[in-house]
Amino acid sequence: MLRKGIALAALGLALLAGSAQAATHPKEPEKLQWSFEGPFGKFDQAQLQRGYKVYREVCSSCHAMSQVYFRNLGQKGGPFYDSKYPNPNDNPYVKALAADIQVGDIDSETGDPIQRPATSADHFPSPFPNEAAARGANGGAIPPDLSYISKAREGGPDYIYSLLIGYVNPPAGLTIQPGQHYNPYFPGDLTASWTGKGHVPQGGVLAMPPPLSPDRVTFDDGTRSTVAQQSRDVAAFLAWAAEPKMEERKSFGLAAMIYLLILTGLVYASYRRIWRNVAH
Amino acid sequence: MSGHSTYEPKTGFERWLDLRLPIVRMAYDTAIEFPTPKNLNYWWTFGGILAICLMIQIVTGIILVMHYVPHVDHAFQSVERIMRDVNYGWLIRYMHANGASMFFVAVYIHITRNLYYGSYKAPREVLWIIGCVIYLLMMATAFMGYVLPWGQMSFHGAVVITNLLGAFPIVGESITTLLWGGFAVDNPTLNRFFALHYLLPFMIAGLVAMHIWALHVVGNNNPIGVNVKSKEDVVPFHPYYTVKDGFAILVFMLLFAYFVFYNPNILGHADNYIPANPLVTPAHIVPEWYFLPFYAILRAVPDKLGGVLAMFGAIGVLFVLPWLDTSKVRSMRYRPTARLYFFIFLVAAVVLGFCGAKLPDDPVIPGLTSFTVIDADLNSYVWLSRLATLYYFAYFLVITPLLGLTETPLPVPDSISAPVLSHPATTPAGAVASPEKKG
Ligand code: HEM
């Protein structure tokens, strides 16, 4: 009797623990299909190239990517990898892309600060000289470094895509401070600025204005430049930037898995053989 | 078990060495000839798996140190550099980060195995206590390792946990100041955590040697919990258990490889890829999954010092378990009542893990407000944690001592080789608890 009761109580506890919690949560990011998902997934190089263009022409005016070097663009698995140039520093496309960008340096003769064209050995420059300048230009918020943003947010590329396409007019009853923008995918708590009826709206406000608009970027491969297309492509580019070794990792993993599986099978066979005469 | 060595030096050099340093003899006695019960099941393979885990952590850790920079301004970037620019750095770092999780998976299974089969009972108390110390050091090592990449969770996790020690009266404040190397978590903290994170695994390795030494004095327990009685009951460790452990280790490696190659960040928290910023506190500070049950116990107690004591007590109680358990029967195969309470204990531990990941005041059943008891609604994770915490301690402090005195165990087989079935006269129907699980 007692034992049954305890077992039931335990079952009840287990069920309770499984159920979800409720609070003011942002909207679930839209779940997209990505070419780089799954154990055999690879980046879509054309998509990465378009994504780079979106970053370069739009996002880079506010966001640094200081972990990414121009040479990375020409590495295996990167947007401008060309098997003719195993050393990305020789890749003429990468050199040309770098040379388009000015980076700060010191004149080695006079010691004066100068601007010079970047080389493949430079990392992407920061748009602001320091944090105070970044804050000052963005209503008090610092645009985060985008090198690893894809790993630093729950949902990764799905979240970034959703955030970029997600800007909508705030529902009536929500007070938005100047310089702030409502986005249902951005985590936040709007209880304090909500005077409307019904539930507090999902999401939060952020200092980034909607950065994309139709035809904001012209894609060289003729792809139609909708906001959704730009968002998808830049999210894929950021996923690559966060995990530039992903393709190497997965192909290495395949070899490791095959090796381990064969070895496991062999050792299991030896186990059966060695133990065959032992009653246990 | 010890005392009779069958090693015979084969070459002249081995004979010469054997008289001066019998190291080959020792290796032979521990890893080749060691008589091992022949009925060990796969739960017994986790010891070998743990040894491999420790070696993987040490080897990958030393390679990481070659590239890691223990400074608040460089630590985060140096870990990113390891993943981007060091050849196979991503492999080393993902092996180390996921290796820590795999290590804890293995140690939790290993401890559960010991609890179920009563392996902590006489004469294995010292063996068990060394194991508890290893587990404690593993937790300290993993906690300090998690601080090293200096992401948001690293920093704020370190702040939360080190602040707890401040709850101790009189000495608390000095301990935190000493740990911090100042008056807040900062560069000196990172540096001393780095030094200790390098040191502790080698202390663990030393304790593992003692653990194995103690094991070889008393010998393995086994699924029926009956002492080895004759030569019929045992097989030499090699090749029988080298091959069985080897197989289990490889299966474990397959799981490990899945995480490293295909899902390396799933066990971690996204916030730890945001560089540490003391001025921005993450909305929800959670420790790594393997600490969650203890984190829930900590938060279950409304008083800070009480919470800290409960958290440490939850581990401390393991140390005295051999003297809390009054049952003479080792294996729970023959203790159906104890088995039931034990499974509830496992459920309570898992529930605590869930609660540790939730906000304490969030409702367990969404949208239902019941009534407030003391400081929180009854339908909240904090109350669920309290319930589970209560059971956790009651299991060790009340149920285990009482059960041994009150329960009627099933008949236990005479020996490993003589299955209980050969004594039909003394065996009630259904007495053999799942004999198919033996191998
Ligand atoms: C008991 C064995 C060990 C455990 C459980 C352990 C655990 C951990 C954990 C959880 C991390 C954080 C990983 C992350 O999320 O980035 C870490 C980082 C680190 N560990 Fe260990 N570790 C062990 C042994 C060692 C040893 C022996 C060394 C060096 C000799 C070492 C050096 C490092 C370094 C340099 C880092 C920072 C790099 C990084 O965060 O990836 N570890 N360790």
Side-chain angles (χ1 to χ4, degrees):
Chain A
M1 208 41 229
L2 178 69
R3 271 170 58 183
K4 270 221 187 81
I6 291 174
L8 277 178
L11 192 71
L13 271 183
L15 286 177
L16 288 187
S19 52
Q21 63 188 54
T24 52
H25 281 303
K27 211 165 146 183
E28 275 299 310
E30 216 171 292
K31 182 81 201 75
L32 298 191
Q33 295 286 320
W34 301 98
S35 66
F36 47 86
E37 281 172 333
F40 303 103
K42 279 183 160 34
F43 291 114
D44 169 351
Q45 204 178 25
Q47 182 173 47
L48 294 190
Q49 295 184 357
R50 293 193 299 270
Y52 173 70
K53 196 159 187 196
V54 177
Y55 169 73
R56 182 52 63 211
E57 292 182 6
V58 185
C59 324
S60 71
S61 59
C62 299
H63 289 279
M65 285 185 83
S66 48
Q67 291 289 323
V68 181
Y69 290 72
F70 286 98
R71 64 180 155 79
N72 294 138
L73 296 172
Q75 268 169 4
K76 234 178 163 168
F80 298 98
Y81 174 67
D82 184 339
S83 54
K84 274 205 297 266
Y85 305 100
N87 178 352
N89 297 303
D90 301 334
N91 185 321
Y93 214 89
V94 169
K95 287 201 235 185
L97 286 173
D100 277 350
I101 312 296
Q102 293 288 312
V103 292
D105 205 344
I106 302 278
D107 187 317
S108 55
E109 306 276 305
T110 64
D112 293 334
I114 53 161
Q115 291 285 316
R116 61 158 174 84
T119 70
S120 56
D122 286 305
H123 66 73
F124 289 6
S126 302
F128 301 105
N130 52 53
E131 281 194 2
R135 261 185 216 291
N138 288 285
I142 299 179
D145 188 304
L146 293 184
S147 319
Y148 25 71
I149 197 85
S150 191
K151 292 190 287 192
R153 293 293 181 278
E154 217 63 68
D158 288 328
Y159 167 72
I160 293 170
Y161 168 81
S162 303
L163 184 77
L164 293 174
I165 57 146
Y167 287 94
V168 285
N169 289 330
L174 192 65
T175 325
I176 306 280
Q177 302 301 321
Q180 295 289 324
H181 309 271
Y182 171 65
N183 192 312
Y185 295 100
F186 189 73
D189 189 347
L190 299 171
T191 316
S193 30
W194 178 240
T195 51
K197 278 194 269 305
H199 278 296
V200 179
Q202 286 183 300
V205 292
L206 74 168
M208 170 163 76
L212 299 171
S213 53
D215 294 317
R216 178 83 166 71
V217 180
T218 310
F219 291 129
D220 305 329
D221 59 5
T223 304
R224 253 190 76 211
S225 188
T226 58
V227 170
Q229 186 68 42
Q230 295 162 19
S231 305
R232 203 162 26 230
D233 293 345
V234 77
F237 172 73
L238 294 177
W240 165 78
E243 284 279 299
K245 296 293 179 72
M246 186 212 71
E247 288 190 6
E248 184 186 351
R249 165 157 63 73
K250 287 180 182 172
S251 64
F252 192 103
L254 183 65
M257 283 292 187
I258 292 173
Y259 173 81
L260 279 173
L261 272 172
I262 294 174
L263 195 61
T264 309
L266 285 175
V267 173
Y268 185 68
S270 335
Y271 161 66
R272 292 302 296 257
R273 206 179 143 72
I274 287 169
W275 279 81
R276 73 188 181 287
N277 292 327
V278 183
H280 64 286
Chain B
M1 291 293 136
S2 60
H4 60 286
S5 175
T6 57
Y7 168 69
E8 275 174 35
K10 300 231 164 48
T11 62
F13 173 72
E14 279 180 66
R15 265 192 298 281
W16 179 86
L17 188 66
D18 196 48
L19 293 172
R20 288 157 180 85
L21 178 70
I23 188 167
V24 185
R25 176 181 298 277
M26 190 175 90
Y28 182 86
D29 292 347
T30 36
I32 309 282
E33 179 263 359
F34 183 63
T36 312
K38 63 183 184 183
N39 61 338
L40 302 187
N41 55 30
Y42 280 109
W43 299 116
W44 261 263
T45 58
F46 282 88
I49 289 171
L50 282 162
I52 299 289
C53 286
L54 179 62
M55 280 189 252
I56 290 176
Q57 290 309 101
I58 290 183
V59 171
T60 53
I62 289 176
I63 300 173
L64 284 174
V65 172
M66 295 174 188
H67 306 278
Y68 170 79
V69 184
H71 187 286
V72 290
D73 294 337
H74 304 290
F76 184 92
Q77 316 298 338
S78 76
V79 173
E80 276 297 315
R81 286 291 294 236
I82 289 172
M83 306 247 284
R84 288 160 190 271
D85 287 336
V86 174
N87 289 333
Y88 296 105
W90 55 267
L91 178 62
I92 300 296
R93 198 269 172 142
Y94 281 152
M95 278 178 77
H96 197 76
N98 288 286
S101 277
M102 300 310 288
F103 206 163
F104 278 92
V105 168
V107 86
Y108 283 130
I109 295 178
H110 192 66
I111 293 174
T112 307
R113 189 278 315 264
N114 293 327
L115 293 176
Y116 185 79
Y117 293 110
S119 302
Y120 50 83
K121 296 186 198 186
R124 296 186 181 80
E125 302 94 323
V126 173
L127 179 56
W128 164 258
I129 289 175
I130 296 172
C132 292
V133 178
I134 292 176
Y135 173 52
L136 207 61
L137 287 186
M138 268 175 69
M139 298 219 274
T141 309
F143 163 63
M144 290 193 260
Y146 193 62
V147 176
L148 300 186
W150 209 245
Q152 274 292 68
M153 278 298 161
S154 299
F155 178 85
H156 292 279
V159 170
V160 170
I161 302 297
T162 50
N163 264 315
L164 293 176
L165 301 171
F168 286 115
I170 308 167
V171 288
E173 213 169 307
S174 324
I175 295 179
T176 24
T177 310
L178 196 68
L179 264 182
W180 287 341
F183 300 99
V185 174
D186 205 336
N187 199 48
T189 326
L190 178 60
N191 280 301
R192 49 197 66 190
F193 278 23
F194 179 52
L196 293 174
H197 185 70
Y198 207 133
L199 170 69
L200 292 189
F202 293 91
M203 290 177 59
I204 293 176
L207 284 161
V208 168
M210 282 168 66
H211 197 64
I212 294 173
W213 183 10
L215 171 71
H216 284 254
V217 173
V218 295
N220 284 97
N221 184 25
N222 65 78
I224 64 169
V226 172
N227 285 346
V228 169
K229 301 248 165 72
S230 69
K231 277 219 150 46
E232 312 286 73
D233 293 346
V234 294
V235 290
F237 190 80
H238 179 75
Y240 291 97
Y241 283 106
T242 39
V243 75
K244 189 170 185 172
D245 282 358
F247 169 63
I249 287 167
L250 283 166
V251 172
F252 193 77
M253 285 299 125
L254 278 166
L255 179 71
F256 185 16
Y258 162 75
F259 284 114
V260 169
F261 294 114
Y262 299 117
N263 228 338
N265 291 314
I266 189 79
L267 297 169
H269 198 293
D271 279 23
N272 224 28
Y273 280 112
I274 306 172
N277 182 351
L279 302 177
V280 179
T281 308
H284 193 176
I285 301 176
V286 275
E288 293 282 88
W289 70 265
Y290 36 82
F291 293 131
L292 290 175
F294 300 100
Y295 195 52
I297 292 178
L298 168 79
R299 295 191 302 185
V301 183
D303 171 65
K304 189 172 168 190
L305 178 60
V308 176
L309 290 177
M311 182 174 74
F312 284 112
I315 299 161
V317 69
L318 295 175
F319 283 77
V320 290
L321 179 61
W323 295 276
L324 290 173
D325 192 338
T326 48
S327 169
K328 293 276 175 296
V329 179
R330 287 202 192 100
S331 173
M332 285 197 197
R333 270 193 193 172
Y334 308 105
R335 303 180 60 200
T337 318
R339 197 159 64 210
L340 176 72
Y341 286 103
F342 178 66
F343 283 127
I344 301 170
F345 169 77
L346 292 185
V347 171
V350 173
V351 166
L352 281 171
F354 269 105
C355 294
K358 303 286 185 184
L359 292 169
D361 290 332
D362 273 1
V364 180
I365 306 165
L368 176 81
T369 322
S370 56
F371 41 91
T372 304
V373 182
I374 308 179
D375 56 349
D377 193 276
L378 198 58
N379 175 26
S380 65
Y381 281 102
V382 69
W383 268 109
L384 186 58
S385 320
R386 284 175 186 161
L387 224 62
T389 304
L390 201 68
Y391 187 81
Y392 182 102
F393 283 103
Y395 176 76
F396 289 116
L397 298 175
V398 184
I399 298 173
T400 299
L402 286 186
L403 263 186
L405 304 175
T406 58
E407 76 182 341
T408 336
L410 301 174
V412 173
D414 289 337
S415 75
I416 292 171
S417 306
V420 86
L421 279 177
S422 60
H423 304 270
T426 57
T427 312
V432 187
S434 44
E436 76 283 356
K437 277 206 221 121
K438 266 209 228 158

